[in-house]
Amino acid sequence: MSLLSSLNAFEKKILQFLIGNLNDYGFLELDVHWTASHFSVPVEEIENMIQILQSLDPIGVGAKDLTDCLLIQLREHENHNELAYKIVKKHLADLAEKRYRKIAALHQVTVQEVQEASDFIRTLNPRPVSHFSDDMTHYIVPDVYVEKDKEGFLITVNDSCTPKLSINPYYKNHVAINSVNPAKDYIKGHINDAQLLLKGLEQRQMTLYKVTASIVEEQHEFFMKGITGLKPMTLKNISEKLQLHESTISRATSNKYIQTPHGLFKLRNFFTRGLHRVNSQATESSTTIKEKIKVLIADEDKIKPFSDQKLCQIFENEGTKISRRTIAKYREDLGIPGSSKRRRF
């Protein structure tokens, strides 16, 4: 059960109201106390709904300001950068003025580390919904399809959105026939450039196919069972498997979507960290654990909701060792409040 489907009609009404008050950047310009009074509910109820809003895509939506927006994205990022988080939280103005030495001294790190953290922060989106048009619906078209058949899984790269390019035969013939024409070398040079472009586009599609095939092989349990079968996997795992650089794998999967038998996913969603299982070398992905937390909380007794410690115990009984702090972080990432705030009266 998804988090949204677990909301009652009144909670959905509040959520719709919050969405209607997002500005053009995706920030929530709303007074929490006024909203609570408007709906005749406690302030905590509105704060809970804001957390749910912030758990939706695009990541960072529903933040109260730029700092909050960037912090939400940093918490969700697969490569957690502690220094970047501290800089955004306390030194965003210093970062804008490039006071790297000041930041480095305060956190006892090198200027190079601050520069790297700065570069990481610049990859985040300061305006989560700026790319949405007010009058146009944007549909996600999968870049690759994976379908189950009798022999396994069929992988198809979607080339419908790739422009059909070819070299005008007129120019090829012109070069072949006019061997002494002064324009021959000029045309021939551009034909060579065009051929390199076509080869590059073909190579990009082939790389996407190879990466997807490796993901399907590594994440076989997911494609058979769904999200509970997802296991920890890194860019390095695939790069070593394909003998390609990690940056190549990263570019091939960036902003790409895959249609699977279990729904539409970002390709990057398959790269997750994991936790070790008790008395075993096996690990369980953080995505799978988060999904289990959502299911457990959706089915809990609302009068006596699970505490973080109780959730830890449930996971340990199932063979996964996880700390209370990690549970709290995953719950926060999902936009789910603590047990005291989930209690219904």
Side-chain angles (χ1 to χ4, degrees), residues 98-317:
K98 296 188 176 181
R99 302 189 187 108
Y100 297 154
R101 293 186 182 279
K102 176 183 176 181
I103 298 172
L106 288 170
H107 292 282
Q108 298 182 334
V109 296
T110 65
V111 173
Q112 178 64 29
E113 287 176 299
V114 175
Q115 177 66 63
E116 290 173 356
S118 172
D119 293 341
F120 183 74
I121 293 167
R122 293 181 194 282
T123 66
L124 306 177
N125 187 358
R127 302 174 181 179
V129 300
S130 60
H131 61 287
F132 288 104
S133 169
D134 292 332
D135 55 359
M136 182 181 294
T137 301
H138 293 265
Y139 296 96
I140 294 175
V141 178
D143 298 278
V144 61
Y145 296 86
V146 176
E147 300 174 278
K148 194 175 186 309
D149 61 15
K150 294 180 180 179
E151 298 180 1
F153 291 97
L154 176 65
I155 301 169
T156 307
V157 175
N158 183 9
D159 60 358
S160 64
C161 296
T162 303
K164 302 296 185 289
L165 302 178
S166 61
I167 299 174
N168 192 322
Y170 169 81
Y171 294 105
K172 286 185 175 180
N173 295 334
H174 187 81
V175 170
I177 296 173
N178 300 281
S179 58
V180 294
N181 192 307
K184 176 182 176 181
D185 290 340
Y186 174 81
I187 296 173
K188 188 174 182 180
H190 281 283
I191 288 177
N192 290 337
D193 290 342
Q195 289 173 333
L196 286 174
L197 174 62
L198 293 175
K199 185 177 181 180
L201 290 172
E202 182 181 349
Q203 183 63 39
R204 187 174 68 171
Q205 295 295 84
M206 181 56 67
T207 300
L208 178 58
Y209 176 85
K210 289 180 179 178
V211 170
T212 303
S214 293
I215 290 174
V216 171
E217 186 176 342
E218 289 290 312
Q219 298 286 4
H220 185 263
E221 288 298 302
F222 164 83
F223 287 93
M224 292 297 294
K225 301 177 181 178
I227 196 71
T228 57
L230 192 66
K231 70 176 186 179
M233 183 180 72
T234 64
L235 291 172
K236 186 178 182 180
N237 294 144
I238 300 300
S239 69
E240 290 178 347
K241 190 178 184 68
L242 295 178
Q243 296 295 297
L244 295 172
H245 197 275
E246 284 185 46
S247 62
T248 302
I249 307 300
S250 180
R251 287 194 299 272
T253 57
S254 180
N255 298 316
K256 297 291 194 304
Y257 287 83
I258 177 172
Q259 182 66 52
T260 77
H262 307 289
L264 182 69
F265 295 86
K266 285 184 178 180
L267 266 175
R268 296 301 292 268
N269 287 352
F270 291 93
F271 299 100
T272 65
R273 293 169 291 180
L275 294 171
H276 284 286
R277 294 182 65 82
V278 178
N279 299 323
S280 172
Q281 292 298 314
T283 55
E284 189 167 14
S285 78
S286 57
T287 302
T288 301
I289 292 172
K290 287 180 182 180
E291 187 67 22
K292 288 182 178 180
I293 290 174
K294 285 198 293 185
V295 172
L296 286 169
I297 290 178
D299 295 338
E300 72 184 356
D301 184 341
K302 301 305 179 185
I303 303 300
K304 296 181 179 179
F306 293 134
S307 65
D308 292 344
Q309 188 58 48
K310 179 61 177 177
L311 291 171
C312 289
Q313 184 181 338
I314 292 173
F315 276 102
E316 190 160 349
N317 291 342

Side-chain angles (χ1 to χ4, degrees), residues 312-329:
C312 289
Q313 184 181 338
I314 292 173
F315 276 102
E316 190 160 349
N317 291 342
E318 293 180 352
T320 301
K321 189 174 183 179
I322 183 170
S323 69
R324 186 184 61 78
R325 184 176 180 179
T326 303
I327 287 285
K329 180 185 180 302

